[in-house]
């Protein structure tokens, strides 16, 4: 038993199921990070979130899924705003800030996941 297993609530959940769910959550963070090279992986990540969220419901990983889904939607919102504002140059700054914010969200979530801690929303 490693130190992060202690952070998993003793809700009678199957250890194998929790491990699989944790790996899936890690995959979603990896797909989000890969979106800097291949943009479509951000969409793939949120699709996985929505498909698997019922399986994660009630676990400490549910907060990570919520964090990941909100990251996607706010990133999409600010990216669209940035693209529209590119006409007046301000959009470049909005897109840059959105990219920095995305890096922060991925890093913060992934670190808390590796520590076995839930994400706050």
């Amino acid at each position: 038993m490693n130190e992060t297993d202690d952070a998993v609530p003793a809700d009678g959940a199957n250890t194998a199921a929790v491990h699989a769910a944790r790996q899936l959550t890690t995959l979603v963070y990896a797909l989000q990070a890969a979106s800097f090279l291949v943009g479509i992986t951000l969409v793939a990540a949120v699709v996985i979130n929505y498909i698997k969220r019922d399986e994660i419901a009630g676990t400490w990983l549910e907060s990570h899924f919520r964090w990941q889904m909100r990251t996607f939607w706010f990133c999409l919102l600010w990216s669209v705003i940035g693209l529209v504002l590119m006409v007046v140059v301000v959009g470049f700054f909005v897109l840059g800030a959105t990219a920095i914010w995305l890096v922060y969200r991925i890093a913060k979530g992934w670190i808390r996941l590796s520590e076995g801690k839930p994400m706050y929303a």
Side-chain angles (χ1 to χ4, degrees):
M1 186 154 142
N2 65 37
E3 62 189 27
T4 58
D5 289 338
D6 296 335
V8 179
D11 60 359
N14 180 339
T15 307
V18 170
H19 180 70
R22 192 171 179 165
Q23 284 184 320
L24 182 63
T25 308
T26 300
L27 172 66
V28 172
Y29 281 122
L31 287 170
Q32 287 180 332
S35 71
F36 283 96
L37 299 175
V38 184
I40 196 73
T41 60
L42 191 61
V43 175
V46 80
V47 167
I48 290 170
N49 283 139
Y50 279 104
I51 290 173
K52 294 292 193 172
R53 75 177 169 177
D54 290 340
E55 295 174 25
I56 303 296
T59 70
W60 66 280
L61 294 166
E62 182 176 17
S63 64
H64 281 275
F65 265 45
R66 190 170 43 252
W67 177 266
Q68 292 166 336
M69 289 186 285
R70 287 179 181 173
T71 298
F72 170 80
W73 289 112
F74 279 105
C75 186
L76 179 63
L77 171 68
W78 285 107
S79 293
V80 169
I81 291 170
L83 288 172
V84 169
L85 291 176
M86 282 177 66
V87 175
V88 291
V89 181
V90 176
F92 292 103
F93 297 105
V94 173
L95 291 174
T98 301
I100 292 167
W101 178 82
L102 179 59
V103 169
Y104 164 78
R105 296 279 291 195
I106 294 167
K108 179 77 173 180
W110 216 337
I111 289 168
R112 289 190 63 88
L113 177 66
S114 71
E115 294 171 344
K117 296 178 182 176
M119 235 16 257
Y120 47 88

